[in-house]
Amino acid sequence: MRVRFWGTRGSIPVALTSADIRDKLALALVAASGRTFASYEEAHAFAHAELDPSITHTFGGHTPCVELEVPGDEYYVCDMGSGARPFGVHVLARQARRSAVVNVFMSHVHWDHIMGFPFFGPAYVPGTKIRIHGCHDVLEEAFRLQQREPCFPVDFSQLGADVEFVKLEPGRSHRVGALTVTPHLQLHSGDSFGYRFEHGGKSVIYSTDSEHKLENRQEAESFARFFQDADLVIFDAMYALADAISVKADWGHSSNIVGVELCQMARARHLMLFHHEPANNDATLEGLLREARRFEELTRGEQPLRVSSAYDGLEVDL
Ligand SMILES: [Zn+2]
Ligand SMILES: [Zn+2]
């Protein structure tokens, strides 16, 4: 199974500005001062090996959209944030005029998780089959609402694709195409649902927009069971722990440190920090990743937990 991240930012899309690019260039020039490079390749290798990731890399970008690729003809994707636009370009290029079948799994219908759908190219192509799965009663209403006048020029009813809404039941395993999927209720304004996906002996958890009260033992244990032995846990790490337990308590999101704790309880293998705060720049996000890795080292039991931070374009093979 391959997991491909098309959108990793929370709440609203962000882009690097010209000032950000100049800043990164200046930092790179300072780091390289005194060095000479005979070729582009040599300079490239230096940047890759010696520059700090906060200089050479950016987290992006788009709001949540995460694809799970498994052998077979159908597509599987979590949420339709603005990352759904490049995901749609990928689907159309790959299909080369053949009709696509796209299975969508919705955590919830807050705007950052549905805003990419009106820009999802395959939705305009007759013959495309889109099945939107979720546990909310308001699922269909939310998708129709955002394309209603005067907010959007193309009404939902004008889409070329055949769009079907499929209600899933939390706590129960469902078979959807090649995947087994189990939704799990999460604490968030209007409720959100995490998903456990299983295929070929591998498991991926998609758990975004979810606040945790770890002092509530029952809640922590229920999530540890949900995450149990997962190969990859995509986790809402919007805040730093200090913010999550003080000013931003009850805002419906979690932190890098809580992610480590829950994954350790669950003996999960790989934690992926996700749904980045739009106000955080690359250096701050690198800092949150370092902090989570350090905390993991200090609290490690028998099984190490790999910790990464998601960015647009990242692919993880399981
Ligand atoms: Zn969100
Ligand atoms: Zn939300």
Side-chain angles (χ1 to χ4, degrees):
M1 179 156 36
R2 171 171 291 174
V3 181
R4 198 176 277 128
F5 292 83
W6 294 100
T8 57
R9 187 70 65 163
S11 304
I12 192 162
V14 296
L16 282 183
T17 62
S18 301
D20 295 330
I21 302 272
R22 279 197 300 271
D23 189 41
K24 283 177 190 282
L25 278 174
L27 289 168
L29 289 169
V30 170
S33 60
R35 302 277 298 248
T36 53
F37 304 103
S39 65
Y40 169 83
E41 285 71 26
E42 235 176 71
H44 197 277
F46 166 81
H48 186 72
E50 292 184 46
L51 291 181
D52 192 79
S54 63
I55 302 175
T56 56
H57 161 94
T58 186
F59 287 90
H62 283 299
T63 63
C65 186
V66 178
E67 181 191 1
L68 306 181
E69 190 182 273
V70 295
D73 292 334
E74 301 193 4
Y75 293 85
Y76 304 89
V77 64
C78 297
D79 284 336
M80 285 272 118
S82 67
R85 192 191 60 76
F87 169 57
V89 172
H90 163 81
V91 170
L92 292 177
R94 191 148 180 183
Q95 290 303 109
R97 295 180 183 274
R98 285 174 297 126
S99 302
V101 178
V102 183
N103 296 287
V104 181
F105 299 90
M106 293 301 305
S107 62
H108 64 316
V109 295
H110 280 165
W111 196 31
D112 51 325
H113 297 255
I114 61 171
M115 58 168 54
F117 189 73
F119 302 92
F120 181 56
Y124 294 85
V125 179
T128 306
K129 173 103 194 140
I130 301 175
R131 290 189 210 105
I132 303 181
H133 303 79
C135 304
H136 290 83
D137 290 329
V138 294
L139 201 57
E140 180 165 358
E141 170 58 14
F143 274 84
R144 289 182 178 276
L145 182 68
Q146 76 167 344
Q147 287 190 241
R148 205 164 286 160
E149 267 194 332
C151 293
F152 199 76
V154 185
D155 191 78
F156 189 93
S157 61
Q158 291 172 258
L159 295 175
D162 172 15
V163 186
E164 184 191 351
F165 289 86
V166 184
K167 184 105 191 272
L168 301 179
E169 206 184 302
R172 246 199 65 205
S173 292
H174 305 259
R175 187 80 191 168
V176 177
L179 299 179
T180 302
V181 51
T182 312
H184 188 85
L185 176 64
Q186 305 179 137
L187 179 63
H188 192 66
S189 149
D191 291 343
S192 71
F193 293 87
Y195 292 95
R196 183 182 179 103
F197 297 97
E198 279 155 341
H199 179 271
K202 298 287 180 183
S203 46
V204 173
I205 310 290
Y206 179 74
S207 176
T208 192
D209 296 63
S210 175
E211 182 163 358
H212 296 277
K213 308 271 185 203
L214 288 193
E215 63 278 14
N216 177 345
R217 206 64 211 159
Q218 231 179 338
E219 197 252 29
E221 278 165 11
S222 133
F223 272 88
R225 273 195 303 280
F226 178 50
F227 290 3
Q228 193 66 50
D229 298 318
D231 294 286
L232 178 67
V233 176
I234 301 162
F235 187 82
D236 175 356
M238 193 163 183
Y239 304 140
L241 182 65
D243 288 335
I245 57 173
S246 58
V247 271
K248 293 173 182 173
D250 304 319
W251 285 20
H253 294 282
S254 190
S255 77
N256 53 350
I257 299 301
V258 170
V260 172
E261 289 187 323
L262 281 174
C263 283
Q264 285 173 332
M265 280 177 78
R267 301 178 63 81
R269 286 173 191 82
H270 189 177
L271 166 66
M272 185 65 70
L273 308 178
F274 183 75
H275 200 278
H276 305 305
E277 159 66 48
N280 286 347
N281 63 18
D282 291 331
T284 307
L285 291 173
E286 280 293 335
L288 288 172
L289 174 59
R290 268 197 305 275
E291 181 183 271
R293 285 179 171 162
R294 180 87 187 112
F295 180 75
E296 188 278 331
E297 271 171 33
L298 293 171
T299 55
R300 187 178 294 168
E302 304 135 43
Q303 185 179 298
L305 169 70
R306 189 175 158 201
V307 185
S308 309
S309 190
Y311 57 90
D312 296 13
L314 172 66
E315 293 183 352
V316 178
D317 287 321
L318 300 173

